[in-house]
């Protein structure tokens, strides 16, 4: 895995790229469409600010998980936020922190499972008779 500082730099660059692409796409739209997208803009900006402000404190496992996700980082948080029942903007920071914590624990569980599988494989190889 990359060094933590490199992951942080890559993470920040990725956030900035995603936000710039979002803004560029948005500003190519008609005024009315921009007004209709206000809530989406507000959430994207909010998540962007939260993650950018905390990038240096995020563990490398979380950074790696966010960088290797199936969707864009900001898009993923936005889509997950939209399925929440109570979507008040004031709760956005708490939600982002919860998602980060969940990602961290999932990564830790995966690492423990991988270590267990590796140890089991090594034990099996030691017990298997050698073929001649």
């Amino acid at each position: 895995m990359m060094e933590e500082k490199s992951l942080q730099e890559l993470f920040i660059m990725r956030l900035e790229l995603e936000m710039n692409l979002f803004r560029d796409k948005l500003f190519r739209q008609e005024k009315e469409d921009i007004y209709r997208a206000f809530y989406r803009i507000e959430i994207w900006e909010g998540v962007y600010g939260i993650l950018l402000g905390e990038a240096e404190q995020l563990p490398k496992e979380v950074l790696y998980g966010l960088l290797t996700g199936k969707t864009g980082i900001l898009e993923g948080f936005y889509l997950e936020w939209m399925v929440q029942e109570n979507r008040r903007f004031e709760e956005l920071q708490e939600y982002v922190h919860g998602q980060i914590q969940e990602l961290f624990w999932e990564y830790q569980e995966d690492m423990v499972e991988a270590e267990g599988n590796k140890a089991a494989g090594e034990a099996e190889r030691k017990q298997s008779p050698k073929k001649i």
Side-chain angles (χ1 to χ4, degrees), residues 53 81 113:
W81 178 252
E113 184 179 322

Side-chain angles (χ1 to χ4, degrees), residues 45-57:
E45 291 282 347
V47 172
Y48 173 74
I50 292 166
L51 292 175
L52 198 60
E54 298 193 9
E56 292 185 9
Q57 287 81 37

Side-chain angles (χ1 to χ4, degrees), residues 2-92:
M2 297 176 73
E3 290 187 33
E4 193 160 357
K5 191 66 175 168
S6 297
L7 280 173
Q8 289 170 351
E9 292 169 358
L10 184 60
F11 179 72
I12 290 169
M13 288 188 325
R14 170 90 176 267
L15 285 177
E16 290 171 348
L17 176 65
E18 286 185 21
M19 197 66 213
N20 287 336
L21 289 172
F22 174 75
R23 288 175 180 153
D24 185 55
K25 182 179 176 185
L26 182 69
F27 293 137
R28 292 176 187 216
Q29 296 180 4
E30 299 293 324
K31 279 185 186 180
E32 294 79 22
D33 294 330
I34 294 171
Y35 291 134
R36 280 192 290 270
F38 178 76
Y39 187 74
R40 182 178 185 153
I41 296 166
E42 187 176 25
I43 298 304
W44 272 66
E45 291 282 347
V47 172
Y48 173 74
I50 292 166
L51 292 175
L52 198 60
E54 298 193 9
E56 292 185 9
Q57 287 81 37
L58 296 176
K60 64 183 176 188
E61 297 85 2
V62 171
L63 293 169
Y64 183 77
L66 290 169
L67 286 167
T68 59
K70 292 179 182 172
T71 64
I73 297 167
L74 298 174
E75 180 73 13
F77 274 102
Y78 172 76
L79 292 173
E80 287 291 321
W81 178 252
M82 292 307 292
V83 298
Q84 303 295 315
E85 275 188 42
N86 190 357
R87 301 184 318 230
R88 291 193 342 241
F89 185 75
E90 298 81 36
E91 297 172 350
L92 183 60

